[in-house]
Amino acid sequence: MAVNLHIPADHEIYPIAGIEIGVTEAGIRKADRRDLTVFRLSEGTSVAGVFTRNRFRAAPVTVCERHLASTTGIRALVINTGNANAGTGETGLQAAEQTCAALGALLGTKADQIMPFSTGVILEQLPVDRLIAGLPGAIANLSETNWVSAAHGIMTTDTLPKIYSQRVEIGGKTVTLTGISKGAGMIRPNMATMLGFLGTDAGIDQGLLTSLAKEVADVSFNRITVDGDTSTNDSFIIMATGKSGLTISNTTDPNYQILKAALAEAAADLAQKIVRDAEGATKFMTVQVEQAKDVDEALLVAYAVAQSPLVKTAFFASDPNLGRIVCAVGYAGIPDLDVSHVNLWLGDVHVVLDGGRNPSYQEADGQRIMKEAEIVMRIGLGRGTASDTVYTCDFSHEYVSINADYRS
Amino acid sequence: MAVNLHIPADHEIYPIAGIEIGVTEAGIRKADRRDLTVFRLSEGTSVAGVFTRNRFRAAPVTVCERHLASTTGIRALVINTGNANAGTGETGLQAAEQTCAALGALLGTKADQIMPFSTGVILEQLPVDRLIAGLPGAIANLSETNWVSAAHGIMTTDTLPKIYSQRVEIGGKTVTLTGISKGAGMIRPNMATMLGFLGTDAGIDQGLLTSLAKEVADVSFNRITVDGDTSTNDSFIIMATGKSGLTISNTTDPNYQILKAALAEAAADLAQKIVRDAEGATKFMTVQVEQAKDVDEALLVAYAVAQSPLVKTAFFASDPNLGRIVCAVGYAGIPDLDVSHVNLWLGDVHVVLDGGRNPSYQEADGQRIMKEAEIVMRIGLGRGTASDTVYTCDFSHEYVSINADYRS
């Protein structure tokens, strides 16, 4: 049951000139399931990515970074579900490279112009023969209008497809941004078990796009958590084809900030959709931490609260057991935190005043907010002026069911 | 459903000369429930404690430390359930001091010779009047044989009482160790929502006992985790009455190591019993990390694995989805971890060999181990010679139910 997850109607989903998508059933793990997706990119498309910092990074992540560094032009992406190709050692790396070579041969590009992505079970070898056998079917399906199909094609335990599409006027040109993402579990930043692919027909200099992708990830995919498990495969990719006629080469371009804001909005939407459709989620929670000494400290507290199983089960139950939030603030890891300066608001209700229960707080007010599907927690630390925000969801029976049964 | 939690028979529970216990129903939160426990200690008893490092430490924890520092002789403990007296500000501190003053007046001691302990809901004021009104009933009940009753009296969501009792010969004297603990949720070291009280009739110099309590906690209560939530109230107390005739004043005493080992065994048993009866636990898991550069690093990895909701739900399901363990090792936070040196054993089954799936690993073997109620995971990092061990449990539907309904 996803929380207020908006799926744009077909006519609201704008293709990106220069990006074609093909989706097929390759039978990687299960039959009758779209599990193989290919993106073909027109020549001159800039591509940049941000990848998991898990030390057990999956083979495709290693290959992606290798290919991004070695080539001047990425021309295609290939994404499979059903198997993460992680913890698979040298065999896994060879499987990912083989996949790229096979797709490159079919598309007439070099192997290092392909980026591979995998999501699914860890520690099992990728069935690379079935994957490669599926590639011609994906290529036969290539079309600029296949974004919805791709959003389905990359799903694992997601219950709904995640799509963002928008047109903005920048510098007199109509620029389109369309993207998809997937997530569901094993989600916390740097990065999540999540894949995000954002296309735009703006033209962005390759070097600029590389730094921009990191900045955009840091306000979107790197600000969500479901269960604190940082996956082995997380990848967020921006592809900029330049077909709109707008081209940006440096940060001093007056249109740079406008485009960056549009990309950030798109990525935040795609990231938050992952939380809205997280495994078992019934509520969408925003944790804002303010008055921190620095952003690191704000995030430390925000994640402690957002990842506390006790906080998350209380929200599931709509139980204003708000001491659990306070407790998480206390163990977050700020050694010199003076709790007598800590304040907490739940929605518009001031619950904790200077470290203790606000005398005017009524449990009925807390209860009213807890029953909502979208809840904002605001925590003031009284230490400085830095702030940051993390998005998460509650923790339900359904989460346990899904993760206990995932492979069955 | 607790996992292999041994409750000693009545005749196996040895009183500690010099420690009397009284338990009563004070109606602190619910009626018809033993919720108030008093320990009276004979003059000359040494007492030392280890307390939560949560910055939102509860009022009684602050008062305990204050009294330990200001007095030379603790003469009683008072423990209530139903309310944690945490996040209660100055009012909470006054309530804890009032409790000590009232008990001191009844027992003929000074207020600062009393240590108060609370466990229960956070962010609500302690009903100190009901607590104080209950004290005479607890005092009337004082007896050296009330350990079982006390083990019940300090329970919250625990399903079973946790008791340890043992006699050992040290230096020609029979030394008795008897203790109780409670836990259930909001449990991870430094410390857990847990209370542990360990009595012995050995005599231990006060200064020595203070350092000893920390050492003993670090191999017991500071090595368990249920949900990663470090509570506001955790306290572990050792009381040494000296009535056995054995007295130890310094670490060079030949009997010191023997006593320390006996205390460590007692504390480890009481701590592990908390995990065995953790909220919703169906399995008891031991996470051993070896070949780390140092102990901090070993613990970083052990806790990442022990606290991963994905690992814990996989164990609940008896599903050998062991990639989740590998994933947790990868995100534990060792920046220069070379995963090609990582090995994983599940029981006697070698699952991960040098960072990849062991070619000889058969899923049936993993499945066999996963079905057991007690599971040992051994993780080799291939970086050094340090090792450490953490104890945890699985993550079940029942955990969500208990924590969603706790206050209802």
Side-chain angles (χ1 to χ4, degrees):
Chain A
M1 189 186 79
V3 185
N4 298 336
L5 197 165
H6 172 69
I7 305 176
D10 284 356
H11 72 270
E12 297 173 311
I13 298 170
Y14 311 112
I16 304 292
I19 301 182
E20 294 165 288
I21 307 170
V23 184
T24 192
E25 296 176 6
I28 307 250
R29 184 172 183 87
K30 294 185 177 171
D32 303 324
R33 183 169 176 149
R34 284 175 282 186
D35 56 8
L36 184 61
T37 301
V38 169
F39 279 72
R40 180 161 67 183
L41 311 177
S42 60
E43 197 162 355
T45 297
S46 302
V47 177
V50 178
F51 301 94
T52 184
R53 291 191 209 144
N54 192 311
R55 293 300 305 165
F56 259 99
R57 43 179 30 197
V61 172
T62 299
V63 172
C64 271
E65 291 205 326
R66 204 184 274 172
H67 288 189
L68 267 178
S70 75
T71 183
T72 49
I74 293 293
R75 296 298 304 281
L77 319 182
V78 51
I79 307 141
N80 74 274
T81 65
N83 184 301
N85 194 4
T88 48
E90 192 55 42
T91 311
L93 284 170
Q94 284 167 15
E97 288 286 10
Q98 254 182 287
T99 304
C100 293
L103 182 56
L106 290 166
L107 296 180
T109 75
K110 288 185 289 182
D112 72 0
Q113 292 183 290
I114 313 286
M115 288 169 74
F117 303 85
S118 296
T119 176
V121 175
I122 301 171
L123 220 58
E124 295 185 11
Q125 292 297 341
L126 184 71
V128 67
D129 294 343
R130 291 205 292 282
L131 195 165
I132 288 173
L135 290 173
I139 291 170
N141 184 245
L142 283 170
S143 154
E144 286 190 354
T145 60
N146 269 343
W147 285 93
V148 175
S149 183
H152 279 100
I154 65 173
M155 284 165 62
T156 51
T157 55
D158 305 69
T159 69
L160 291 173
K162 295 158 191 73
I163 312 170
Y164 175 91
S165 193
Q166 201 60 251
R167 283 187 175 149
V168 285
E169 296 295 314
I170 305 179
K173 309 282 183 188
T174 299
V175 172
T176 304
L177 301 96
T178 299
I180 59 175
S181 63
K182 65 86 41 182
M186 209 183 268
I187 305 243
R188 90 150 266 179
N190 313 314
M191 309 267 295
T193 294
M194 65 103 220
L195 299 174
F197 301 98
L198 178 55
T200 178
D201 52 9
I204 307 174
D205 172 80
Q206 178 62 43
L208 185 60
L209 186 60
T210 300
S211 62
L212 188 55
K214 174 79 178 73
E215 284 189 69
V216 168
D218 276 347
V219 295
S220 58
F221 290 97
N222 280 341
R223 287 297 178 274
I224 60 172
T225 181
V226 169
D227 47 23
D229 280 88
T230 304
S231 117
T232 48
N233 291 60
D234 311 326
S235 309
F236 167 57
I237 303 296
I238 304 181
M239 302 162 279
T241 66
K243 301 287 185 191
S244 66
L246 177 78
T247 302
I248 293 180
S249 305
N250 59 65
T251 57
T252 56
D253 186 314
N255 293 318
Y256 170 75
Q257 292 298 338
I258 304 172
L259 180 64
K260 178 176 156 181
L263 289 166
E265 186 184 312
D269 179 85
L270 289 169
Q272 290 173 29
K273 276 178 167 147
I274 289 174
V275 175
R276 292 181 184 283
D277 189 27
E279 290 169 347
T282 73
K283 292 190 180 162
F284 180 83
M285 283 133 62
T286 301
V287 185
Q288 296 177 348
V289 177
E290 302 171 352
Q291 302 169 346
K293 274 195 182 154
D294 52 41
V295 165
D296 285 351
E297 186 174 284
L299 288 175
L300 204 61
V301 172
Y303 278 113
V305 171
Q307 288 175 191
S308 159
L310 287 169
V311 169
K312 291 160 89 82
T313 46
F315 276 86
F316 169 56
S318 301
D319 177 1
N321 196 338
L322 302 172
R324 293 178 177 179
I325 299 174
V326 163
C327 178
V329 173
Y331 69 66
I334 303 180
D336 62 343
L337 179 70
D338 180 348
V339 300
S340 74
H341 295 147
V342 171
N343 282 265
L344 166 67
W345 289 261
L346 193 68
D348 57 352
V349 179
H350 194 167
V351 177
V352 172
L353 171 68
D354 297 342
R357 186 183 169 122
N358 181 356
S360 72
Y361 169 65
Q362 300 288 329
E363 190 145 320
D365 295 330
Q367 185 78 65
R368 172 174 57 80
I369 305 288
M370 292 295 277
K371 284 187 173 154
E372 293 173 8
E374 310 244 343
I375 299 171
V376 177
M377 276 170 270
R378 192 153 63 86
I379 298 159
L381 298 180
R383 293 165 58 83
T385 57
S387 64
D388 215 318
T389 300
V390 162
Y391 303 91
T392 190
C393 59
D394 61 337
F395 209 170
S396 69
H397 285 287
E398 202 55 22
Y399 177 89
V400 177
S401 295
I402 292 166
N403 282 297
D405 304 341
Y406 177 44
R407 299 200 323 167
S408 312
Chain B
M1 192 186 78
V3 184
N4 298 337
L5 197 165
H6 172 69
I7 304 176
D10 284 355
H11 71 270
E12 297 173 311
I13 298 170
Y14 311 112
I16 304 292
I19 300 182
E20 295 165 286
I21 307 170
V23 184
T24 192
E25 297 176 5
I28 306 241
R29 184 174 183 85
K30 294 185 178 171
D32 303 322
R33 182 168 177 150
R34 284 175 281 186
D35 56 7
L36 184 61
T37 302
V38 169
F39 280 72
R40 181 162 66 183
L41 311 177
S42 60
E43 196 163 355
T45 297
S46 302
V47 177
V50 178
F51 301 94
T52 184
R53 292 191 205 144
N54 192 311
R55 292 299 305 164
F56 259 100
R57 43 178 30 196
V61 172
T62 300
V63 172
C64 271
E65 291 205 327
R66 206 185 274 172
H67 288 189
L68 268 178
S70 76
T71 184
T72 48
I74 293 293
R75 296 299 303 281
L77 319 183
V78 51
I79 307 140
N80 74 274
T81 64
N83 184 301
N85 194 5
T88 48
E90 194 53 44
T91 311
L93 284 170
Q94 284 168 16
E97 288 287 10
Q98 255 182 285
T99 303
C100 294
L103 183 57
L106 290 166
L107 296 180
T109 74
K110 289 186 287 179
D112 70 1
Q113 293 183 289
I114 313 287
M115 288 170 73
F117 303 86
S118 297
T119 176
V121 174
I122 301 171
L123 219 58
E124 294 185 10
Q125 292 297 341
L126 184 72
V128 68
D129 293 345
R130 290 204 292 282
L131 195 164
I132 288 173
L135 290 174
I139 291 169
N141 184 244
L142 283 170
S143 155
E144 287 191 352
T145 61
N146 269 343
W147 284 94
V148 174
S149 183
H152 279 100
I154 64 172
M155 285 165 61
T156 51
T157 55
D158 305 68
T159 68
L160 292 173
K162 294 159 192 74
I163 311 170
Y164 175 92
S165 194
Q166 201 62 249
R167 283 190 176 146
V168 285
E169 296 294 314
I170 305 179
K173 308 283 182 186
T174 299
V175 172
T176 305
L177 301 96
T178 299
I180 58 173
S181 63
K182 62 88 41 183
M186 206 183 270
I187 306 244
R188 90 152 264 180
N190 310 316
M191 305 268 296
T193 291
M194 66 103 222
L195 300 174
F197 301 98
L198 177 56
T200 178
D201 52 10
I204 307 174
D205 170 80
Q206 178 64 43
L208 185 60
L209 187 60
T210 301
S211 62
L212 189 55
K214 173 80 179 70
E215 284 188 69
V216 168
D218 276 347
V219 296
S220 59
F221 291 97
N222 281 341
R223 289 296 178 277
I224 60 172
T225 181
V226 170
D227 46 23
D229 280 87
T230 305
S231 119
T232 49
N233 291 58
D234 311 326
S235 310
F236 167 56
I237 303 296
I238 303 181
M239 303 162 279
T241 66
K243 300 287 185 193
S244 65
L246 176 78
T247 301
I248 293 180
S249 304
N250 57 65
T251 56
T252 55
D253 187 314
N255 293 318
Y256 171 75
Q257 292 299 339
I258 304 172
L259 180 63
K260 179 175 155 181
L263 288 167
E265 185 185 313
D269 179 84
L270 289 170
Q272 289 173 28
K273 276 179 167 145
I274 290 175
V275 174
R276 292 180 184 284
D277 190 27
E279 290 169 348
T282 74
K283 293 190 179 163
F284 181 82
M285 284 132 63
T286 300
V287 186
Q288 296 176 348
V289 178
E290 301 171 352
Q291 302 169 346
K293 274 195 182 156
D294 53 40
V295 165
D296 285 351
E297 186 174 284
L299 288 175
L300 203 61
V301 172
Y303 277 115
V305 172
Q307 290 176 188
S308 159
L310 287 169
V311 169
K312 292 160 89 80
T313 47
F315 277 86
F316 169 57
S318 300
D319 176 3
N321 195 339
L322 302 171
R324 292 178 178 179
I325 299 174
V326 163
C327 178
V329 173
Y331 69 66
I334 303 180
D336 62 344
L337 179 69
D338 180 347
V339 301
S340 74
H341 295 147
V342 171
N343 281 265
L344 166 67
W345 289 261
L346 193 68
D348 57 352
V349 179
H350 193 167
V351 177
V352 172
L353 171 69
D354 297 342
R357 184 182 171 124
N358 181 355
S360 71
Y361 169 65
Q362 300 289 330
E363 190 146 320
D365 294 330
Q367 185 78 62
R368 172 173 58 78
I369 306 288
M370 292 294 277
K371 283 187 173 154
E372 293 173 7
E374 310 245 345
I375 299 171
V376 177
M377 276 169 270
R378 193 153 62 87
I379 298 160
L381 298 180
R383 293 164 59 81
T385 56
S387 63
D388 215 319
T389 301
V390 162
Y391 303 92
T392 191
C393 59
D394 61 336
F395 208 169
S396 69
H397 285 288
E398 203 54 22
Y399 177 88
V400 177
S401 295
I402 292 165
N403 282 297
D405 302 342
Y406 178 43
R407 300 202 322 165
S408 311

